[in-house]
């Protein structure tokens, strides 16, 4: 037994074999792309023995840490095009659903009355200004110039409103297409991102396509993409940050493998020296973490609830690095990982996010009349007087906004406790009208035009069940993919339980909806099976997954009229109200 080791060379969390499914389209790209370390295999095909002299080669470490498919280039040449084409096609599907009739209704629906007008104010002045009474009528009529000169007190940072303003700059502020373009484009791009993330997370083109299609046709995401509220922009930057950290996970492991491999090659034993394995090497500047910090800064600059994701994602990326050092054979992997990965991660992500967040207030800093802009000058402080007046004024602004959010407990007909979100107990009605007979689309005496932010029941209820399965898979099988998805849901969902008295709404859940879709796709991957399964098992699994996706698309087609404000008979609207609390 002197020439073998029982240390696994492909642990459950590293390779494609431990994923819910590698999908029928992923093939054996890794084996086609590179040579393999000669190892033994158990009956399921997992590596379980290897030669100690080969355990610390760069290629062996990469396969142990990342798996056989380490990037899109490792797919067979015939599938590389599909790696990018699948996300593009699913985004195109979502784009059609989001942009067609985007100017309907012509009203400012729900909280568009705040954010759209604030966005126009930013476009004109760089800060939010007040509006006169009945300003909505003038704005809808294409006359937004009634803006007053006095500043307006707002309680959300400006990034999302700037993204709304970008659409107005391109297509004008006098039409609904212009003021909703930013939301529709952001929602479409998020579908492309999610499909790419799912492909990388599950090492499966099939599951990437499923994830993209499910997000594209879900009603909750669709409604949020067709109305200019801030939450769709928050969701986008959070999803982009997660994707950047997913890229950083592989990049960090490649660096760890390369550094340990070089140390092993320089050693006469073929292994790094004992001192080198004590805590492992430094990994240098992590550029993808830097990108994640930028995205998280923009997320917090959209809504402050992004702070919970900043904390959750920061811990997640450090845990990934601790695990990498353990798998690579580093002895003091906890202390070494905290010192050489945890501290640099904090210094990379948090300060970058803070600086980016500060820059999002540039319009406020450059203004002379923005709300609280000169508060510090009128309120000198012996304790904090060393700070620039503008910084003290902005800090006071944030304190007042925080107090507002903490005390937000007024009753609202569509408020929904966080306990009800996963089952869609009380979705938000954004718009409702009863057109008279003879209006376009209404040939009956009783018609309805509505926009309800209810999701596709098959997707949402399936995702709720999937979260339970993921908990068992993460705890029992130690699958890092399950843990990553659960972390995204937890960061967006659990913090709301700390504020039971606060008025909350179901549409807040869009911030973590992509992770709900990933949870559902994970379980569909379990149904799909693995490449090592018998052919009949793979075919039956594929048929079941295809059947689920087709059923989800048909359910979305059924609910589409109440997501987009189509004029339909009242009885057809009632037919779609599956729960009394949806009315």
């Amino acid at each position: 037994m002197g020439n073998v080791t029982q240390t696994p060379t492909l642990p459950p969390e590293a390779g494609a074999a431990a994923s819910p499914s590698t999908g029928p389209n992923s093939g054996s790209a890794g084996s086609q792309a590179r040579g393999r370390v000669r190892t033994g295999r158990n009956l399921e095909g997992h590596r379980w023995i290897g030669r100690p002299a080969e355990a610390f080669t760069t290629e062996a470490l990469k396969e142990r840490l990342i798996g056989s498919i380490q990037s899109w280039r490792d797919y067979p040449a015939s599938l590389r095009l599909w790696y990018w084409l699948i996300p593009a096609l699913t985004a195109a599907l979502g784009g059609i659903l989001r942009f067609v009739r985007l100017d309907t209704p012509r009203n400012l629906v729900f909280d568009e009355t705040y954010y759209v007008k604030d966005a126009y104010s930013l476009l004109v002045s760089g800060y939010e200004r007040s509006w006169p009474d009945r300003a909505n009528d003038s704005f809808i009529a294409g006359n937004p110039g009634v803006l007053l000169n006095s500043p307006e007190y707002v309680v959300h940072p400006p990034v999302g409103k700037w993204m709304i303003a970008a659409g107005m700059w391109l297509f004008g502020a006098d039409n609904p297409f212009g003021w909703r373009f930013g939301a529709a484009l952001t929602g479409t791009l998020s579908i492309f991102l999610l499909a790419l993330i799912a492909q990388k997370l599950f090492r499966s083109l099939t599951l990437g396509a499923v994830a993209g299609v499910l997000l594209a046709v879900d009603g909750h995401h669709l409604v949020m993409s067709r109305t200019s509220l801030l939450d769709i922009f928050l969701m986008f930057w959070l999803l982009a940050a997660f994707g950047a950290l997913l890229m950083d996970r592989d990049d960090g492991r490649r660096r760890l493998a390369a550094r340990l491999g070089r140390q092993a090659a320089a050693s006469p034993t073929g292994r790094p020296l004992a001192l080198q394995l004590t805590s492992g090497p430094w990994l240098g500047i992590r550029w993808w973490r830097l990108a994640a910090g930028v995205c998280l800064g923009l997320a917090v600059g959209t809504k402050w609830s992004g702070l919970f994701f900043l904390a959750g994602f920061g811990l997640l990326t450090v845990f990934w690095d601790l695990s990498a050092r353990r798998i690579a054979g580093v002895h003091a992997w906890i202390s070494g990982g905290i010192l050489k990965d945890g501290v640099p991660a904090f210094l990379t992500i948090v300060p970058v996010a803070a600086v980016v967040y500060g820059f999002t207030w540039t319009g406020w800093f450059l203004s002379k009349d923005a709300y609280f802009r000169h508060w510090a000058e009128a309120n000198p402080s012996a304790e904090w007087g060393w700070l620039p007046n503008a910084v003290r004024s902005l800090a006071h602004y944030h304190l007042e906004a925080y107090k507002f959010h903490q005390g937000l407990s007024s009753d609202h007909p569509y408020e929904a406790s966080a306990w009800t979100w996963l089952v869609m107990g009380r979705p938000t009605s954004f718009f409702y009208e009863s057109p008279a007979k003879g209006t376009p689309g209404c040939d009956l005496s009783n018609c309805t035009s509505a926009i309800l932010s209810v999701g596709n029941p098959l997707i949402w209820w399936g995702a709720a069940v999937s979260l339970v399965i993921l908990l068992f898979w993460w705890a029992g099988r130690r699958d890092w993919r399950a843990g990553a998805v659960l972390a995204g849901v937890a960061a967006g969902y659990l913090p709301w339980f700390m504020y039971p008295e606060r008025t909350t709404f179901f549409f807040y859940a869009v911030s973590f909806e992509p992770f709900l879709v990933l949870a559902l796709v994970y379980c569909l991957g379990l149904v799909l099976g693995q490449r090592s399964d018998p052919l009949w098992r793979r075919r039956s699994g594929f048929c079941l997954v295809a059947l689920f996706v087709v059923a989800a698309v048909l359910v979305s087609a059924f609910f589409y009229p109440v997501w987009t404000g189509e004029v339909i008979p009242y009885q057809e609207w009632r037919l779609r109200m599956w729960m009394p609390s949806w009315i």
Side-chain angles (χ1 to χ4, degrees), residues 9 34-37 51-68 70 250-266 270-272 281 327-328:
T9 59
R34 62 173 60 85
R36 303 279 185 115
V37 177
R51 304 182 194 281
E54 297 174 346
F56 285 94
T57 63
T58 299
E59 287 302 312
L61 284 165
K62 282 183 180 179
E63 189 165 352
R64 196 155 79 233
L65 290 168
I66 304 174
S68 58
Q70 299 173 13
D250 282 4
D251 178 60
R253 291 178 175 227
R254 287 191 195 95
R255 295 185 186 205
L256 181 61
R259 283 162 171 75
L260 286 176
R262 284 198 298 267
Q263 292 172 352
R271 296 167 55 90
I327 294 169

Side-chain angles (χ1 to χ4, degrees), residues 109-325:
V109 301
F110 201 65
D111 281 354
E112 281 187 339
T113 186
Y114 304 114
Y115 305 130
V116 169
K117 290 186 296 183
D118 285 346
Y120 176 77
S121 179
L122 287 174
L123 189 62
V124 171
S125 308
Y127 66 95
E128 295 89 343
R129 285 160 53 183
S130 299
W131 294 81
D133 294 337
R134 304 186 64 83
N136 282 10
D137 295 336
S138 297
F139 197 93
I140 294 169
N143 180 29
V146 297
L147 191 63
L148 301 178
N149 289 324
S150 56
E152 177 72 12
Y153 176 59
V154 297
V155 293
H156 289 299
V159 170
K161 289 170 279 189
W162 276 115
M163 295 177 76
I164 297 172
M168 295 183 177
W169 179 74
L170 288 171
F171 298 101
D174 58 350
N175 65 90
F177 186 88
W179 73 60
R180 292 178 186 144
F181 175 82
L185 179 62
T186 301
T188 302
L189 291 176
S190 67
I191 297 168
F192 182 84
L193 267 182
L194 184 68
L196 280 177
I197 287 171
Q199 287 179 167
K200 186 164 187 63
L201 194 64
F202 303 129
R203 304 292 199 262
S204 169
L205 300 182
T206 300
L207 295 183
V210 171
V213 169
L214 293 182
L215 190 64
V217 303
D218 178 66
H220 186 240
H221 190 272
L222 176 66
V223 169
M224 299 306 295
S225 301
R226 291 175 59 92
T227 50
S228 284
L229 274 64
L230 301 182
D231 300 79
I232 193 70
F233 306 109
L234 171 67
M235 179 276 306
F236 174 80
W237 291 119
L238 294 173
L239 186 62
F242 180 79
L245 290 177
L246 201 59
M247 294 293 292
D248 172 75
R249 180 184 184 274
D250 282 4
D251 178 60
R253 291 178 175 227
R254 287 191 195 95
R255 295 185 186 205
L256 181 61
R259 283 162 171 75
L260 286 176
R262 284 198 298 267
Q263 292 172 352
S267 171
T269 63
R271 296 167 55 90
L273 302 177
L275 183 61
Q276 294 171 331
L277 282 179
T278 299
S279 61
W282 293 90
L283 301 183
I285 298 175
R286 307 277 285 270
W287 298 107
W288 281 110
R289 265 188 188 157
L290 194 69
V294 172
C295 293
L296 288 168
L298 292 170
V300 177
T302 303
K303 293 187 82 170
W304 287 350
S305 54
L307 285 168
F308 297 114
F309 286 89
L310 177 64
F313 285 175
L315 291 174
L316 180 64
T317 188
V318 173
F319 287 149
W320 283 346
D321 280 349
L322 292 178
S323 177
R325 290 180 183 267

Side-chain angles (χ1 to χ4, degrees), residues 21-27 29 69 71-87 90 194-213 521 528 531 538 542:
S21 171
T22 51
N25 289 336
S26 55
I69 300 178
S71 77
W72 67 275
R73 296 180 182 86
D74 292 332
Y75 283 91
S78 59
L79 296 180
R80 289 174 196 166
L81 175 63
W82 288 103
Y83 189 91
W84 298 101
L85 193 57
I86 285 173
T90 58
L194 184 68
L196 280 177
I197 287 171
Q199 287 179 167
K200 186 164 187 63
L201 194 64
F202 303 129
R203 304 292 199 262
S204 169
L205 300 182
T206 300
L207 295 183
V210 171
V213 169
V521 171
L528 195 61
R531 286 196 304 266
R538 297 285 290 164
F542 182 82

Side-chain angles (χ1 to χ4, degrees), residues 320-402:
W320 283 346
D321 280 349
L322 292 178
S323 177
R325 290 180 183 267
R326 177 185 62 83
I327 294 169
V330 173
H331 303 313
W333 53 273
I334 295 179
S335 58
I338 292 174
L339 176 64
K340 296 185 176 181
D341 295 318
V343 173
F346 178 88
L347 295 177
T348 301
I349 295 175
V350 176
V352 169
V355 169
V356 169
Y357 178 80
F359 271 108
T360 66
W361 288 87
T362 299
W364 185 91
F365 280 114
L366 295 178
S367 70
K368 295 181 180 179
D369 303 316
Y371 207 88
F372 282 140
R373 180 64 182 82
H374 299 288
W375 176 88
E377 297 169 13
N379 296 270
S381 170
E383 183 179 2
W384 298 102
W386 57 274
L387 285 172
N389 285 336
V391 175
R392 273 211 310 130
S393 296
L394 186 61
H396 177 73
Y397 195 146
H398 280 62
L399 179 61
E400 292 300 312
Y402 176 77

Side-chain angles (χ1 to χ4, degrees), residues 435-443 447-449 565-568:
K437 183 177 180 179
T439 57
C442 182
D443 298 326
C447 295
T448 293
S449 175
E566 288 187 3
V567 178
I568 58 175

Side-chain angles (χ1 to χ4, degrees), residues 474-526:
W474 173 57
R477 300 292 293 272
R478 295 177 296 168
D479 191 334
W480 70 273
R481 295 167 178 84
V485 174
L486 290 172
V489 175
Y493 187 36
L494 296 184
W496 293 106
F497 291 98
M498 298 189 298
Y499 309 101
E501 302 300 324
R502 180 178 167 175
T503 305
T504 56
F505 299 92
F506 168 65
F507 65 82
Y508 293 174
V510 76
S511 66
F512 60 89
E513 180 176 350
F515 299 96
L516 293 177
V517 173
L518 288 175
L520 178 57
V521 171
Y522 183 102
C523 292
L524 291 175
L526 297 178

